[in-house]
Amino acid sequence: QRQRERRNGAGMASWNGISVPPLVGGGFPIAALQLCSVYYVGALAVHALIPHFARTITPVSKAEARRTHRAPADLRRQILRESFLSLGPIAVKAGVFCAVELIGTRGWGLLYDGPLLRAGASVPAKALAVAGTVLALDFLHDTWFYFTHLLMHKNRWLLANVHHLHHQSHVPTPFSGYSLHVVEAMIVFLDEILVCFLFPIHVNVHRLYHLYTTLIHIGGHASYELHPLVPSLEQLLYIAWRGDSVSRELNTVLYHNMHHQYPSKNFSLYFTHWDRALETIKPGYEDEIGRIKKEQAVRAEGGGGGGLRRYYSVLVACMGSTLALSVLAYLAAYNALVWVL
């Protein structure tokens, strides 16, 4: 009890006896705990929760379609290997979060704390500010990811000694998202530090955004098509404009899955413009995503699927549950540590 009181006296919030850790400022242990909660709960949900409730999911490759005939022991070994390998990149990203905290406290970059906007700013103005920041971060993150990813394929040493580790997952699972060499993790996550010097970002927005990108990496390796509910702001805006049609400019699960099947193609993360401009997009992608969307509709309408509307509703519910479960896992793990320590 005295330990908990000392922790609360040090600035820790408490709600109905539950210790609530700070979003930013807790150092490496808090950052690592946040990332583990988001990554492992998110990957487990995408691997098991969504396929269980959304039974009409559409595999994005023939190899994935054959997975139902794959020995469960082989799949378990792959998931265990990927889960273990993900610990290194998670530690790297937690270290990046600590570096960003240091940048903020020393006042070196354009990070800021306190009110999101000036006093008296309306809620819509704050929402627009956050949306603008997210769109800018998405574009910068996608650009960084494309060119560093391309570098790791063009440089023979990096491909043979670093990036090959990720491509051991020929048929990806959600746990493949951070199944990376730690050197690759350092390269990929470096942009999270660089953006602190490019434009003003609130420290909480920076942390939440880069926790959320963890889910993007998980979803990109889902092995079944999530479109149109690929969880990005750009996709949400596109849905509001064009419904569930496929955008020529935005990524899908199939898009990155094709990269695992054809490693010299489809290097981008959010958008397709760099692949199109530099002619690294896989020919036939549009035809294949069109085929998958048709199969998705047939599966949703038949076999008790209840139609696309019900299928999309189940996906949204599962995604919302995944976020909630990640937060609950984080709070549970944190409070267990507080109790023990």
Side-chain angles (χ1 to χ4, degrees), residues 23-24 31-39 89-90 92-101 103 111 130 133-142 144-145 177-178 185 187-218 231 269-270 323:
L23 177 62
V24 178
L33 198 58
Q34 289 171 343
L35 287 163
C36 284
S37 300
V38 171
Y39 183 76
I90 286 173
V92 170
K93 187 157 182 164
V96 167
F97 281 2
C98 291
V100 171
E101 289 181 3
I103 290 169
L111 285 172
V130 172
T133 301
V134 169
L135 292 173
L137 287 170
D138 280 354
F139 178 79
L140 291 168
H141 187 39
D142 181 76
W144 179 264
F145 185 87
Y178 280 175
I187 295 170
V188 170
F189 299 145
L190 178 61
D191 76 310
E192 300 182 13
I193 294 176
L194 297 178
V195 295
C196 300
F197 299 91
L198 297 180
F199 55 87
I201 310 175
H202 194 281
V203 291
N204 290 343
V205 173
H206 185 283
R207 176 62 59 90
L208 288 171
Y209 174 84
H210 289 103
L211 283 171
Y212 191 75
T213 59
T214 302
L215 295 175
I216 297 292
H217 283 269
I218 292 169
L269 184 64
Y270 289 98
L323 290 174

Side-chain angles (χ1 to χ4, degrees), residues 53 99-100 114 121-122 135 145 224 274 279 329 338:
F53 289 101
V100 171
S122 65
L135 292 173
F145 185 87
Y224 52 86
W274 288 120
E279 299 182 345
V338 168

Side-chain angles (χ1 to χ4, degrees), residues 238-255:
Y238 189 82
I239 290 173
W241 178 40
R242 297 291 302 273
D244 69 346
S245 62
V246 178
S247 168
R248 190 172 180 272
E249 286 74 31
L250 298 178
N251 244 327
T252 61
V253 177
L254 170 68
Y255 196 87

Side-chain angles (χ1 to χ4, degrees), residues 215-239:
L215 295 175
I216 297 292
H217 283 269
I218 292 169
H221 297 84
S223 74
Y224 52 86
E225 190 52 67
L226 292 169
H227 186 275
L229 297 172
V230 177
S232 70
L233 179 57
E234 294 82 7
Q235 187 63 58
L236 180 63
L237 294 172
Y238 189 82
I239 290 173

Side-chain angles (χ1 to χ4, degrees), residues 13-78:
S14 180
W15 179 76
N16 286 345
I18 299 174
S19 297
V20 181
L23 177 62
V24 178
F28 184 88
I30 292 294
L33 198 58
Q34 289 171 343
L35 287 163
C36 284
S37 300
V38 171
Y39 183 76
Y40 289 109
V41 172
L44 184 61
V46 174
H47 175 70
L49 182 70
I50 293 177
H52 177 76
F53 289 101
R55 297 179 182 277
T56 53
I57 57 172
T58 308
V60 291
S61 71
K62 293 179 180 179
E64 174 57 30
R66 291 194 297 268
R67 176 172 280 173
T68 53
H69 304 291
R70 184 180 177 184
D74 291 341
L75 181 57
R76 283 197 297 270
R77 278 195 292 270
Q78 178 181 342

